[in-house]
Amino acid sequence: DTGVSQDPRHKITKRGQNVTFRCDPISEHNRLYWYRQTLGQGPEFLTYFQNEAQLEKSRLLSDRFSAERPKGSFSTLEIQRTEQGDSAMYLCASSFLVNTEAFFGQGTRLTVV
Amino acid sequence: DAKTTQPPSMDCAEGRAANLPCNHSTISGNEYVYWYRQIHSQGPQYIIHGLKNNETNEMASLIITEDRKSSTLILPHATLRDTAVYYCIVRDSNAGGTSYGKLTFGQGTILTVHP
């Protein structure tokens, strides 16, 4: 499968725990995006990487959130001290050029209990 | 904020064409019109995009008005599997811009295809 891959697909965690999600973009895509989607809403932009550089972060990305993309390949999104409000679908997308289509992964559904 | 306006819901009979409208009256010259759809619990799926001209691919057709202030996504022969939320998005294509090509989703249109 050569699409965008996200792992895990589902994660249940207790409030206060740390969680980390992984995204493997399409191999030749140098642009990588993270989004968050809550129930009944469209996806909301979180952060953007061009190669290994994180060029933009949304105000939605609080200090408890951190994202990395070492070597410009896969990316990780970590949430520290999770809160119930963090429960959402976390989506990753990648694209080759800014004016070409972005492809999304299937997402990681996080439930904080 | 999303720069597009879509009806919240639409119905379509199976086998008929589904025509989904979108208003983007503030679109700028660098911005493309993109359509994605999202089936429940899955990631958004790319459908089609265009700048000025009408576009067609194996999934759909995109009709953009001459003034580019609105567009219509056409699914020529809707099936039950086309039931989904359809998002119309304007996306900055300027490589030197600060939007970095991110997609700003609105609420979308819930399309229900019925037998």
CSV table of all heavy atoms in Angstrom, one decimal, chain B residues 45-72:
chain,number,residue,atom,x,y,z
B,45,GLN,N,-11.2,11.8,1.6
B,45,GLN,CA,-10.7,11.3,0.3
B,45,GLN,C,-10.7,12.4,-0.7
B,45,GLN,O,-11.8,13.1,-0.9
B,45,GLN,CB,-11.6,10.1,-0.1
B,45,GLN,CG,-11.3,9.5,-1.5
B,45,GLN,CD,-12.4,8.5,-2.0
B,45,GLN,OE1,-13.5,8.6,-1.6
B,45,GLN,NE2,-12.0,7.7,-2.9
B,46,TYR,N,-9.6,12.6,-1.4
B,46,TYR,CA,-9.5,13.5,-2.5
B,46,TYR,C,-10.5,13.2,-3.6
B,46,TYR,O,-10.5,12.0,-4.0
B,46,TYR,CB,-8.1,13.7,-3.0
B,46,TYR,CG,-7.9,14.4,-4.3
B,46,TYR,CD1,-8.0,15.8,-4.3
B,46,TYR,CD2,-7.8,13.7,-5.5
B,46,TYR,CE1,-7.8,16.4,-5.5
B,46,TYR,CE2,-7.7,14.3,-6.7
B,46,TYR,CZ,-7.7,15.7,-6.7
B,46,TYR,OH,-7.6,16.4,-7.9
B,47,ILE,N,-11.2,14.2,-4.2
B,47,ILE,CA,-12.0,13.9,-5.3
B,47,ILE,C,-11.5,14.5,-6.6
B,47,ILE,O,-11.2,13.9,-7.6
B,47,ILE,CB,-13.5,14.4,-5.1
B,47,ILE,CG1,-14.1,13.7,-3.9
B,47,ILE,CG2,-14.3,14.1,-6.3
B,47,ILE,CD1,-15.5,14.2,-3.5
B,48,ILE,N,-11.3,15.9,-6.5
B,48,ILE,CA,-11.0,16.6,-7.8
B,48,ILE,C,-10.6,18.0,-7.4
B,48,ILE,O,-10.9,18.5,-6.3
B,48,ILE,CB,-12.2,16.6,-8.7
B,48,ILE,CG1,-11.8,17.0,-10.2
B,48,ILE,CG2,-13.3,17.5,-8.2
B,48,ILE,CD1,-12.9,16.7,-11.2
B,49,HIS,N,-9.8,18.7,-8.2
B,49,HIS,CA,-9.6,20.1,-8.0
B,49,HIS,C,-9.4,20.8,-9.3
B,49,HIS,O,-9.2,20.2,-10.3
B,49,HIS,CB,-8.4,20.3,-7.1
B,49,HIS,CG,-7.0,20.1,-7.7
B,49,HIS,ND1,-6.5,18.8,-7.9
B,49,HIS,CD2,-6.1,20.9,-8.2
B,49,HIS,CE1,-5.3,18.9,-8.5
B,49,HIS,NE2,-5.0,20.2,-8.6
B,50,GLY,N,-9.6,22.2,-9.2
B,50,GLY,CA,-9.5,23.0,-10.4
B,50,GLY,C,-9.2,24.4,-10.1
B,50,GLY,O,-9.4,24.9,-9.0
B,51,LEU,N,-8.7,25.1,-11.1
B,51,LEU,CA,-8.4,26.6,-10.9
B,51,LEU,C,-9.4,27.4,-11.7
B,51,LEU,O,-10.1,28.3,-11.1
B,51,LEU,CB,-7.0,26.9,-11.4
B,51,LEU,CG,-6.5,28.3,-11.3
B,51,LEU,CD1,-6.4,28.7,-9.8
B,51,LEU,CD2,-5.1,28.5,-11.9
B,52,LYS,N,-9.5,27.3,-13.0
B,52,LYS,CA,-10.4,28.1,-13.8
B,52,LYS,C,-11.3,27.2,-14.7
B,52,LYS,O,-12.5,27.4,-14.8
B,52,LYS,CB,-9.6,29.0,-14.7
B,52,LYS,CG,-8.8,30.0,-14.0
B,52,LYS,CD,-8.0,30.9,-15.0
B,52,LYS,CE,-7.1,31.9,-14.3
B,52,LYS,NZ,-6.4,32.7,-15.3
B,53,ASN,N,-10.7,26.2,-15.2
B,53,ASN,CA,-11.4,25.4,-16.2
B,53,ASN,C,-12.1,24.3,-15.5
B,53,ASN,O,-11.8,23.9,-14.4
B,53,ASN,CB,-10.4,24.8,-17.2
B,53,ASN,CG,-9.6,25.8,-18.0
B,53,ASN,OD1,-10.2,26.9,-18.3
B,53,ASN,ND2,-8.3,25.6,-18.2
B,54,ASN,N,-13.2,23.8,-16.2
B,54,ASN,CA,-13.9,22.6,-15.8
B,54,ASN,C,-12.9,21.4,-15.8
B,54,ASN,O,-12.1,21.3,-16.7
B,54,ASN,CB,-15.1,22.4,-16.6
B,54,ASN,CG,-16.1,23.6,-16.5
B,54,ASN,OD1,-16.1,24.3,-15.6
B,54,ASN,ND2,-16.9,23.7,-17.6
B,55,GLU,N,-13.1,20.5,-14.9
B,55,GLU,CA,-12.3,19.4,-14.8
B,55,GLU,C,-13.1,18.1,-14.6
B,55,GLU,O,-14.2,18.2,-14.1
B,55,GLU,CB,-11.3,19.4,-13.5
B,55,GLU,CG,-10.4,20.7,-13.5
B,55,GLU,CD,-9.3,20.6,-14.5
B,55,GLU,OE1,-9.0,19.5,-15.0
B,55,GLU,OE2,-8.7,21.6,-14.8
B,56,THR,N,-12.6,17.0,-15.1
B,56,THR,CA,-13.3,15.7,-15.0
B,56,THR,C,-12.3,14.6,-14.8
B,56,THR,O,-11.2,14.6,-15.3
B,56,THR,CB,-14.1,15.4,-16.3
B,56,THR,OG1,-15.1,16.4,-16.5
B,56,THR,CG2,-14.7,14.0,-16.2
B,57,ASN,N,-12.6,13.7,-13.9
B,57,ASN,CA,-11.8,12.5,-13.7
B,57,ASN,C,-12.8,11.4,-13.5
B,57,ASN,O,-14.0,11.5,-13.7
B,57,ASN,CB,-10.8,12.7,-12.5
B,57,ASN,CG,-11.5,12.9,-11.2
B,57,ASN,OD1,-12.7,12.6,-11.0
B,57,ASN,ND2,-10.8,13.4,-10.2
B,58,GLU,N,-12.2,10.2,-13.1
B,58,GLU,CA,-13.0,9.0,-13.0
B,58,GLU,C,-14.1,9.1,-11.9
B,58,GLU,O,-15.0,8.3,-11.9
B,58,GLU,CB,-12.1,7.8,-12.8
B,58,GLU,CG,-11.4,7.8,-11.5
B,58,GLU,CD,-10.1,8.6,-11.5
B,58,GLU,OE1,-9.8,9.3,-12.6
B,58,GLU,OE2,-9.4,8.6,-10.5
B,59,MET,N,-13.9,10.0,-11.0
B,59,MET,CA,-14.9,10.1,-9.9
B,59,MET,C,-16.0,11.1,-10.1
B,59,MET,O,-17.1,10.9,-9.8
B,59,MET,CB,-14.1,10.4,-8.6
B,59,MET,CG,-13.3,9.4,-8.0
B,59,MET,SD,-12.6,9.9,-6.4
B,59,MET,CE,-14.0,9.9,-5.4
B,60,ALA,N,-15.6,12.2,-10.7
B,60,ALA,CA,-16.5,13.4,-10.7
B,60,ALA,C,-16.1,14.4,-11.8
B,60,ALA,O,-15.1,14.3,-12.4
B,60,ALA,CB,-16.6,14.0,-9.3
B,61,SER,N,-17.0,15.4,-11.9
B,61,SER,CA,-16.7,16.6,-12.7
B,61,SER,C,-16.8,17.8,-11.8
B,61,SER,O,-17.7,17.8,-10.9
B,61,SER,CB,-17.7,16.7,-13.9
B,61,SER,OG,-17.5,15.6,-14.8
B,62,LEU,N,-16.0,18.8,-12.2
B,62,LEU,CA,-16.0,20.0,-11.4
B,62,LEU,C,-16.3,21.1,-12.4
B,62,LEU,O,-15.6,21.3,-13.4
B,62,LEU,CB,-14.7,20.3,-10.7
B,62,LEU,CG,-14.5,21.6,-10.0
B,62,LEU,CD1,-15.5,21.8,-8.9
B,62,LEU,CD2,-13.1,21.7,-9.4
B,63,ILE,N,-17.4,21.9,-12.1
B,63,ILE,CA,-17.8,23.0,-13.0
B,63,ILE,C,-17.5,24.3,-12.2
B,63,ILE,O,-18.1,24.4,-11.1
B,63,ILE,CB,-19.2,22.9,-13.4
B,63,ILE,CG1,-19.6,21.5,-14.0
B,63,ILE,CG2,-19.6,24.1,-14.4
B,63,ILE,CD1,-18.8,21.2,-15.3
B,64,ILE,N,-16.7,25.1,-12.7
B,64,ILE,CA,-16.3,26.4,-12.0
B,64,ILE,C,-16.9,27.5,-12.9
B,64,ILE,O,-16.7,27.6,-14.1
B,64,ILE,CB,-14.8,26.6,-11.9
B,64,ILE,CG1,-14.3,25.4,-11.0
B,64,ILE,CG2,-14.5,27.9,-11.1
B,64,ILE,CD1,-12.7,25.4,-11.0
B,65,THR,N,-17.6,28.4,-12.3
B,65,THR,CA,-18.2,29.6,-13.0
B,65,THR,C,-17.1,30.5,-13.5
B,65,THR,O,-16.0,30.5,-13.0
B,65,THR,CB,-19.2,30.4,-12.2
B,65,THR,OG1,-18.5,30.9,-11.0
B,65,THR,CG2,-20.4,29.5,-11.7
B,66,GLU,N,-17.4,31.2,-14.5
B,66,GLU,CA,-16.4,32.1,-15.2
B,66,GLU,C,-15.8,33.1,-14.2
B,66,GLU,O,-14.6,33.4,-14.3
B,66,GLU,CB,-17.0,32.8,-16.4
B,66,GLU,CG,-16.0,33.5,-17.3
B,66,GLU,CD,-16.6,34.0,-18.6
B,66,GLU,OE1,-17.8,33.5,-18.9
B,66,GLU,OE2,-16.0,34.8,-19.3
B,67,ASP,N,-16.6,33.6,-13.3
B,67,ASP,CA,-16.1,34.6,-12.3
B,67,ASP,C,-15.4,33.9,-11.1
B,67,ASP,O,-14.9,34.5,-10.2
B,67,ASP,CB,-17.2,35.5,-11.9
B,67,ASP,CG,-18.3,34.8,-11.1
B,67,ASP,OD1,-18.2,33.6,-10.8
B,67,ASP,OD2,-19.3,35.5,-10.8
B,68,ARG,N,-15.4,32.5,-11.1
B,68,ARG,CA,-14.8,31.7,-10.1
B,68,ARG,C,-15.4,31.9,-8.7
B,68,ARG,O,-14.9,31.4,-7.7
B,68,ARG,CB,-13.3,31.9,-10.0
B,68,ARG,CG,-12.6,31.7,-11.3
B,68,ARG,CD,-11.2,31.2,-11.2
B,68,ARG,NE,-10.4,31.8,-10.2
B,68,ARG,CZ,-9.8,31.2,-9.2
B,68,ARG,NH1,-9.8,29.9,-9.1
B,68,ARG,NH2,-9.1,31.8,-8.3
B,69,LYS,N,-16.6,32.5,-8.7
B,69,LYS,CA,-17.2,32.7,-7.3
B,69,LYS,C,-18.0,31.5,-6.9
B,69,LYS,O,-18.5,31.5,-5.7
B,69,LYS,CB,-18.0,34.0,-7.4
B,69,LYS,CG,-17.1,35.2,-7.5
B,69,LYS,CD,-18.0,36.5,-7.4
B,69,LYS,CE,-17.1,37.7,-7.5
B,69,LYS,NZ,-17.8,39.0,-7.4
B,70,SER,N,-18.2,30.6,-7.7
B,70,SER,CA,-19.0,29.4,-7.3
B,70,SER,C,-18.6,28.2,-8.1
B,70,SER,O,-18.0,28.3,-9.2
B,70,SER,CB,-20.5,29.6,-7.3
B,70,SER,OG,-20.9,29.8,-8.7
B,71,SER,N,-18.9,27.0,-7.6
B,71,SER,CA,-18.6,25.8,-8.4
B,71,SER,C,-19.6,24.7,-8.1
B,71,SER,O,-20.4,24.8,-7.1
B,71,SER,CB,-17.2,25.3,-8.1
B,71,SER,OG,-17.0,25.0,-6.7
B,72,THR,N,-19.6,23.7,-8.9
B,72,THR,CA,-20.5,22.6,-8.7
B,72,THR,C,-19.8,21.3,-8.9
B,72,THR,O,-19.1,21.1,-9.9
B,72,THR,CB,-21.7,22.6,-9.6
B,72,THR,OG1,-22.4,23.8,-9.5
B,72,THR,CG2,-22.7,21.4,-9.4
